[in-house]
Amino acid sequence: MQGKRIVLGIGGGIAAYKTPSLVRQLVAAGMDVIPVLTESAHHFVTATVLTTLSGNRVRADLWDLDAENSMGHIELARWADTLLIAPATANLLARLAHGQSDDLLTTLYLATTAPTIVAPAMNVEMWNHTATKRNIGALKTDGVHVIGPEHGEQACGEIGLGRMLEPEDIVSQLLATTGPISASMEGIRVLVTAGPTRESIDPVRYITNASSGKQGYAIAEAARDAGAVVRLVSGPVALPSPRGVQQIPVTTAAEMKAAVLDLAGDIDIMFGVAAVADYRPIRSEPHKIKKTQQNGPSISMDLVENDDILASVAALPDPPYLVGFAAETQNPIKNAVHKRERKCLDAIVVNDVSDRSIGFDSDENEVTLLHADGETTFDRSTKAQIANKLVSAISALYAKKRT
Ligand code: C5P
């Protein structure tokens, strides 16, 4: 089952004493855990305890021929559904951020395509150091989920940010980040469109919108974590490419439509999350438009309507299960109900973007899913959590439609 196999990387910090409890809780939540220790982790926790509690032989050494014979490190990297590193010390974060692979754990990080979650733990001054901040920034850009640390009393006696999250919080954040444990989309072929499109006015100007792509990328990742084979047709965004997802970059609505139609025949479920420009300039000027006296104080531009991508897919002889998205500023539910019918969609997800704290560029969202049998509202939470819930709900609706 997807999401169930955890490689638990343990760094050499005092918080490692909590990892036997973390292993117990992961196992109790139904997960199969293989602990991997760094060399210094052995000073804080024993392989015997971790092997007993996980039921799996602890791994620690890249050069352990016996262990490599039973499951080589690349095999272990492929086995993992999630790489969870707790505690992640300052030194370990630095090695991960720089792509070093000088021990088993850092090699696994480079070799796995599974999502990686790190739970940092260190002295408050080490956490506040610009070098650590730089490394954390780099890891986030590389798509690593960073959970914690939290504020509190530290083993060194100081009080401040740097404590590793408690094992129960790590388990709940793991579930929220990676989605449900069950393989709700195993082998299903999913297409996601995300981000804005850019419609060229001249070589240096274009029409676009405020879409960040965050919700679409989160859906692609949630579907991947649920076992789907995911393709992501993306407009221009400033987000790292999700691991294990085939990404097809496009710029204009016409390019997005062509890429989608090219794939649509081999797709089971399509999430049209992209904010596709409704209109484009009737012609893109070959040279930069000059500001001249002749043009006067105002100029005008003729626009022509872009094709509706979802409607084009819906018109195919055997369309995939189609999920549209509607960002509304007025009467969201009423407008979305009409949009679902007009575009012949199986389901539509609506959010009220008049509230600036949700939707578009924010990290949170609150949405309502409308389909033929009813509606469900998902309360405000992170876009990753909304994505997990939507993927679960859509996989159930898709299974129902198929039977
Ligand atoms: O009509 P509106 O643009 O609000 O509809 C939004 C939904 O339709 C989104 O799912 C978006 O990806 C899709 N769409 C499309 N092609 C367009 C415009 C929007 O597929 N040209």
Side-chain angles (χ1 to χ4, degrees):
M1 279 199 292
Q2 281 290 320
K4 208 181 164 220
R5 295 182 301 224
I6 311 292
V7 166
L8 172 63
I10 302 175
I14 180 66
Y17 84 88
K18 294 182 182 173
T19 54
S21 165
L22 176 58
V23 169
R24 280 195 85 140
Q25 295 187 39
L26 290 169
V27 171
M31 297 180 214
D32 194 3
V33 183
I34 298 186
V36 174
L37 275 73
T38 64
E39 200 185 338
S40 45
H42 288 286
H43 294 289
F44 300 95
V45 66
T46 73
T48 314
V49 172
L50 295 168
T51 298
T52 308
L53 294 176
S54 67
N56 286 316
R57 183 177 161 182
V58 164
R59 299 288 299 266
D61 188 356
L62 198 49
W63 311 111
D64 177 344
L65 284 186
D66 282 348
E68 280 290 312
N69 258 336
S70 66
M71 195 197 278
H73 60 277
I74 298 297
E75 232 177 305
L76 182 55
R78 289 199 192 115
W79 175 89
D81 293 325
T82 302
L83 172 60
L84 169 65
I85 302 181
T89 58
N91 176 50
L92 185 49
L93 291 171
R95 290 193 293 135
L96 296 171
H98 288 86
Q100 288 185 1
S101 53
D102 47 7
D103 67 358
L104 178 61
L105 181 54
T106 49
T107 304
L108 287 173
Y109 167 68
L110 289 188
T112 190
T113 57
T116 299
I117 301 173
V118 297
M122 67 200 71
N123 162 271
V124 56
E125 301 303 347
M126 293 173 80
W127 174 253
N128 285 336
H129 199 285
T130 36
T132 305
K133 287 193 178 135
R134 199 165 53 234
N135 292 331
I136 286 285
L139 288 169
K140 283 185 177 167
T141 306
D142 291 345
V144 171
H145 299 279
V146 180
I147 56 172
E150 61 185 11
H151 195 274
E153 195 181 335
Q154 305 200 303
C156 52
E158 290 195 56
I159 293 182
L161 256 188
R163 273 167 67 105
M164 186 176 82
L165 293 186
E166 291 302 324
E168 54 271 31
D169 296 327
I170 294 178
V171 176
S172 57
Q173 294 245 22
L174 174 86
L175 291 174
T177 313
T178 61
I181 298 171
S182 61
S184 51
M185 282 202 176
E186 193 76 61
I188 289 174
R189 301 162 302 174
V190 167
L191 171 62
V192 181
T193 66
T197 65
R198 265 183 202 169
E199 312 300 326
S200 162
I201 297 171
D202 69 17
V204 293
R205 302 183 179 98
Y206 49 78
I207 298 173
T208 191
N209 58 63
S211 170
S212 63
K214 286 178 185 168
Q215 188 63 77
Y217 275 53
I219 287 175
E221 290 176 344
R224 172 203 65 197
D225 293 344
V229 177
V230 183
R231 294 185 177 100
L232 173 63
V233 176
S234 175
V237 296
L239 296 173
S241 303
R243 289 173 172 221
V245 166
Q246 186 195 345
Q247 196 170 347
I248 300 109
V250 296
T251 304
T252 65
E255 286 170 13
M256 187 172 276
K257 181 185 168 197
V260 165
L261 288 181
D262 199 35
L263 297 166
D266 284 328
I267 292 297
D268 302 307
I269 300 176
M270 173 174 168
F271 291 88
V273 198
V276 185
D278 291 325
Y279 295 93
R280 67 178 182 278
I282 204 158
R283 67 183 233 119
S284 171
E285 298 299 332
H287 298 289
K288 186 180 168 195
I289 300 168
K290 291 255 185 315
K291 184 178 163 189
T292 64
Q293 295 296 323
Q294 234 174 330
N295 281 338
S298 67
I299 60 169
S300 59
M301 181 173 35
D302 285 325
L303 301 175
V304 61
E305 201 175 350
N306 279 325
D307 290 341
D308 193 292
I309 301 172
L310 280 174
S312 315
V313 177
L316 293 173
D318 184 19
Y321 187 92
L322 279 179
V323 186
F325 281 68
E328 301 288 347
T329 53
Q330 285 178 311
N331 301 323
I333 302 293
K334 199 168 146 219
N335 284 332
V337 167
H338 288 145
K339 206 167 275 184
R340 189 177 87 80
E341 283 164 12
R342 195 176 71 240
K343 298 195 186 208
C344 300
L345 305 175
D346 293 288
I348 193 159
V349 179
V350 58
N351 65 347
D352 182 354
V353 287
S354 64
D355 179 347
R356 299 292 295 267
S357 64
I358 55 173
F360 279 140
D361 198 28
S362 68
D363 290 322
E364 294 199 323
N365 212 348
E366 179 178 320
V367 302
T368 301
L369 171 67
L370 302 161
H371 49 89
D373 299 332
E375 64 176 73
T376 316
T377 295
F378 298 116
D379 290 339
R380 181 181 294 221
S381 54
T382 65
K383 287 186 170 172
Q385 285 164 333
I386 293 279
N388 285 332
K389 289 174 188 164
L390 283 173
V391 161
S392 290
I394 294 299
S395 71
L397 289 169
Y398 168 70
K400 191 172 165 207
K401 187 179 177 186
R402 269 211 317 187
T403 49

